[in-house]
Amino acid sequence: MTPVDLRSDTVTRPTQAMREAMLRAEVGDDVYGEDPTVNALQERLAADLGFEAGLFVPSGTQSNLLALMSHCERGDEYIVGADAHTYRFEGGGAAVLGSIQPQPIPQDADGSLPLDKVEAVIKPIDPHFARTRLLTLENTWMGRTIEFGYLARARELATRRGLGLHLDGARLFNAAVAYGRPVREVVAGFDSVSICLSKGLGAPVGSVLVGSASLIERARRWRKVTGGGWRQAGMLAAAATYALDHHVERLAEDHARAARLAEGLGRIDGLAVKGCHTNMVFVDVPAERLKDLAAHMSKAGVLLSIGYLPQVRMVTHIDVDDEGVERTIAAFASFSY
Ligand SMILES: *Cc1c(COP(=O)(O)O)cnc(C)c1O
């Protein structure tokens, strides 16, 4: 029995057609800027999103790090959600490697940062303070889309206060599908955007950072410095390009399966469904039952990620089908809470 792997949408494996596209890829040395498949991916995503340039990098963590290091210098500061990936889940990279101070603030329920609080933490220009340079948002955050109108208000604040605006758009395409808007509209106000190809889009590796030509030039330098200069990366870029061509619209299926999962789980006594947003479902299970639940589920062929968050998070993706969703609901139903 193939397990249903709901731990994350990073677990997807390349489809046969994607592997064939990888085999056919023309390659060159990307550190010399000579990999045609990488160059085409970068140009295409930048153009699709309305930016001057793009940079293909190994991971979303590196993409965000390069963005922070390209917007900010040593002694600068970025304002970030206290539960945002760029603050909590990236090993403190901006501080460790960039000498950039994070200024975290609590997020609203949709993941946005209350703009009055953002404004209140912007530091005066004075030697006592770090120089506040950048506001970073995340969309989707924990599967949630930020209220669409907020994005323009954040842009207005950033412009008025002279801040850059970066988006951690690891799951940007899930957001666009959920809004029912072209992805370009979702990123219209941002100065830079990081997109993961290796999550719901199903590529094996890779993220792209887009921004102005000068920002991407700085990011390219930091990519090399942090050891991310890669060579014949075109085979990976081919997978990413395949994903953009074939796996964007189907994200709606992942969202529908998450909704079906939440609905089925909602009928089970003792299990509280706490949320269902885009491709993620969150449930509350009594803490003392979590270990037994994980063992029970794994016996039933369902893999869950337990321990990173107070709730159990399940993520649908291209390798989860209807049967997998029904098997998951049945397995949850046969557990005593
Ligand atoms: C996964 C993720 C990242 C980082 O991507 P990696 O490729 O795992 O380093 C950044 N931000 C968010 C919101 C993510 O979900």
Side-chain angles (χ1 to χ4, degrees):
M1 176 170 58
T2 317
V4 189
D5 197 341
L6 296 167
R7 290 173 300 167
S8 175
D9 47 8
T10 55
V11 300
T12 58
R13 293 184 175 86
T15 61
Q16 191 56 36
M18 182 182 278
R19 287 168 197 252
E20 281 159 19
M22 296 171 77
L23 277 177
R24 282 194 304 271
E26 274 183 56
V27 297
D29 190 327
D30 182 50
V31 171
Y32 293 123
E34 288 174 3
D35 189 301
T37 313
V38 170
N39 290 342
L41 168 68
Q42 293 172 164
E43 283 160 26
R44 176 244 179 103
L45 207 44
D48 286 357
L49 269 53
F51 290 83
E52 286 174 359
L55 187 68
F56 186 43
V57 302
S59 72
T61 299
Q62 187 175 79
S63 182
N64 281 325
L65 175 67
L66 302 185
L68 295 170
M69 291 176 73
S70 302
H71 280 284
C72 302
E73 291 178 10
R74 180 180 188 197
D76 289 351
E77 167 182 88
Y78 70 112
I79 300 171
V80 61
D83 289 314
H85 204 282
T86 40
Y87 175 60
R88 265 197 96 167
F89 297 101
E90 296 180 7
V96 173
L97 300 164
S99 302
I100 303 161
Q101 163 171 291
Q103 168 62 67
I105 60 176
Q107 288 153 262
D108 277 340
D110 65 352
S112 62
L113 280 60
L115 293 177
D116 55 336
K117 303 228 165 59
V118 170
E119 195 134 24
V121 297
I122 297 174
K123 318 263 180 304
I125 297 169
D126 175 306
H128 288 91
F129 303 111
R131 292 168 303 194
T132 312
R133 276 287 153 80
L134 182 69
L135 172 60
T136 68
L137 300 174
E138 183 173 323
N139 200 11
T140 63
W141 171 75
M142 307 265 275
R144 295 159 172 86
T145 49
I146 290 181
E147 184 242 316
F148 191 76
Y150 171 93
L151 301 173
R153 297 197 295 278
R155 175 70 263 174
E156 185 279 320
L157 170 82
T159 304
R160 184 160 47 77
R161 301 301 304 265
L163 304 181
L165 189 61
H166 172 67
L167 178 66
D168 177 356
R171 297 186 179 83
L172 172 67
F173 286 91
N174 294 84
V177 166
Y179 288 128
R181 289 174 182 273
V183 72
R184 216 184 156 89
E185 284 181 21
V186 183
V187 298
F190 289 89
D191 297 307
S192 56
V193 183
S194 166
I195 305 108
C196 287
L197 286 317
S198 60
K199 302 234 161 127
L201 292 178
V205 173
S207 289
V208 173
L209 178 67
V210 297
S212 68
S214 62
L215 183 114
I216 294 301
E217 195 182 305
R218 292 195 294 281
R220 182 181 294 281
R221 176 181 152 70
W222 286 126
R223 184 184 68 168
K224 190 77 179 80
V225 171
T226 54
W230 46 11
R231 304 294 177 175
Q232 288 72 31
M235 297 182 83
L236 297 170
T241 302
Y242 184 91
L244 291 171
D245 287 340
H246 299 281
H247 293 172
V248 171
E249 277 165 34
R250 63 153 309 286
L251 292 174
E253 296 172 29
D254 297 342
H255 299 182
R257 288 198 178 99
R260 163 66 196 139
L261 181 60
E263 182 214 3
L265 296 178
R267 295 174 201 276
I268 298 171
D269 280 345
L271 193 62
V273 176
K274 284 299 177 179
C276 172
H277 316 280
T278 60
N279 66 335
M280 296 190 191
V281 179
F282 298 86
V283 294
D284 254 351
V285 175
E288 64 281 5
R289 300 293 290 136
L290 277 176
K291 247 183 94 185
D292 286 348
L293 175 71
H296 168 83
M297 296 301 284
S298 125
K299 226 179 279 166
V302 179
L303 300 181
L304 297 180
S305 164
I306 287 178
Y308 283 101
L309 300 167
Q311 296 164 343
V312 176
R313 181 190 79 164
M314 283 163 274
V315 189
T316 57
H317 50 76
I318 190 168
D319 292 342
V320 176
D321 59 10
D322 291 333
E323 187 279 325
V325 168
E326 299 311 317
R327 197 200 303 172
T328 304
I329 295 167
F332 268 102
S334 64
F335 183 74
S336 47
Y337 295 88

